[in-house]
Amino acid sequence: MKKTFVLVVLFVLPLVAYLFFASGVNNFGKLPILTTNLPELSNFEGEVKLENKITILGFLGNDIENRRGNAFNLNQKIYKRFGDFNDLQFIMIVPKGTESKAAALKKELGKLSDVTKWNFAFGTNQEIISFFNAMQTGLQLDEDMGTPYVFIVDKELNLRGRNDDEDEGVKYGFNTTSVAELNNKMEDDVKIILAEYRLALKKNNANRSEQ
């Protein structure tokens, strides 16, 4: 009996675990594309761009101090977990004139983690509104040009999200006010898109080695 139990632990459970995770990847496949051909951040100051990076994109607005809690939630629940991935970056779009506030926030976040991949893009109100509208989320910026929602943008400048969310149907962004939403939904979706690109990279490398 003991021998059978040991064999189950050593051989069967790892196989079950593998099949579980493999089926999860197959079921999710790719994170759905919700909006295509987003504009690049060429008109924004800050020396950042979206192309060739997986981007967690946010809009902190003029009142950055009152968005500190949102930024800290995002930093603790998403950035600290996934920030080590080379292809991932975090960009917060904020109005011109908030450079010192943005620097102060980054300094505070830096007390908790390495914030190398926390970046800011500075634009006029009209540039921010134009970019936000291009995402076609149905959400709105507040009067300070901010929103608690953050978004996932892929390397090809497509907005990714959920088209079958159990609560919202189509889910364009993630509310950083809600730690539960970051834990239960955004974390899963970031895992999916990172796995998607890693799988594509492995396939490309395998194809090259066969040539």
Side-chain angles (χ1 to χ4, degrees):
M1 185 67 178
K2 290 182 178 179
K3 186 176 181 180
T4 302
F5 177 76
V6 171
L7 289 174
V8 168
V9 171
L10 290 178
F11 298 103
V12 177
L13 288 181
L15 178 60
V16 171
Y18 170 79
L19 291 174
F20 173 79
F21 287 110
S23 65
V25 172
N26 290 334
N27 286 337
F28 286 115
K30 293 184 177 182
L31 196 64
I33 294 174
L34 303 180
T35 308
T36 60
N37 300 318
L38 297 184
E40 186 53 272
L41 297 172
S42 306
N43 295 329
F44 289 79
E45 297 178 2
E47 297 183 358
V48 293
K49 67 176 186 176
L50 300 173
E51 189 176 16
N52 296 323
K53 290 286 186 180
I54 301 166
T55 304
I56 306 302
L57 187 69
F59 298 78
L60 293 180
N62 283 296
D63 199 1
I64 292 178
E65 294 93 336
N66 283 336
R67 296 279 185 206
R68 286 171 65 247
N70 301 79
F72 275 87
N73 286 344
L74 184 64
N75 187 72
Q76 294 299 103
K77 299 302 178 181
I78 305 298
Y79 183 87
K80 289 181 74 172
R81 184 174 180 84
F82 301 107
D84 289 337
F85 287 89
N86 291 331
D87 292 337
L88 186 67
Q89 66 177 350
F90 287 60
I91 296 178
M92 299 294 115
I93 293 179
V94 291
K96 289 180 179 179
T98 62
E99 288 83 356
S100 60
K101 295 178 182 179
L105 174 60
K106 188 168 182 176
K107 184 176 181 179
E108 284 192 65
L109 294 173
K111 296 176 182 177
L112 303 172
S113 60
D114 175 10
V115 289
T116 305
K117 294 182 180 178
W118 266 93
N119 299 293
F120 293 86
F122 303 92
T124 65
N125 286 0
Q126 188 53 52
E127 287 169 342
I128 295 172
I129 292 171
S130 177
F131 185 94
F132 189 84
N133 290 342
M135 295 196 300
Q136 303 174 37
T137 63
L139 300 170
Q140 292 184 337
L141 295 172
D142 62 25
E143 59 185 10
D144 287 315
M145 298 290 110
T147 176
Y149 287 88
V150 294
F151 308 89
I152 299 174
V153 179
D154 69 20
K155 295 183 180 183
E156 291 76 38
L157 281 72
N158 301 310
L159 177 64
R160 300 294 195 96
R162 300 185 174 197
N163 54 18
D164 59 352
D165 182 70
E166 63 271 21
D167 299 313
E168 302 174 36
V170 179
K171 185 168 186 60
Y172 290 94
F174 304 87
N175 191 340
T176 55
T177 303
S178 171
V179 172
E181 182 160 312
L182 297 179
N183 276 333
N184 299 330
K185 294 187 178 183
M186 187 174 186
E187 181 179 316
D188 286 346
D189 288 6
V190 173
K191 283 181 183 177
I192 293 167
I193 194 167
L194 290 175
E196 174 187 332
Y197 277 101
R198 279 183 294 180
L199 180 61
L201 181 61
K202 287 181 180 179
K203 286 183 177 179
N204 289 338
N205 290 337
N207 291 337
R208 288 174 185 170
S209 64
E210 293 173 358
Q211 292 175 358

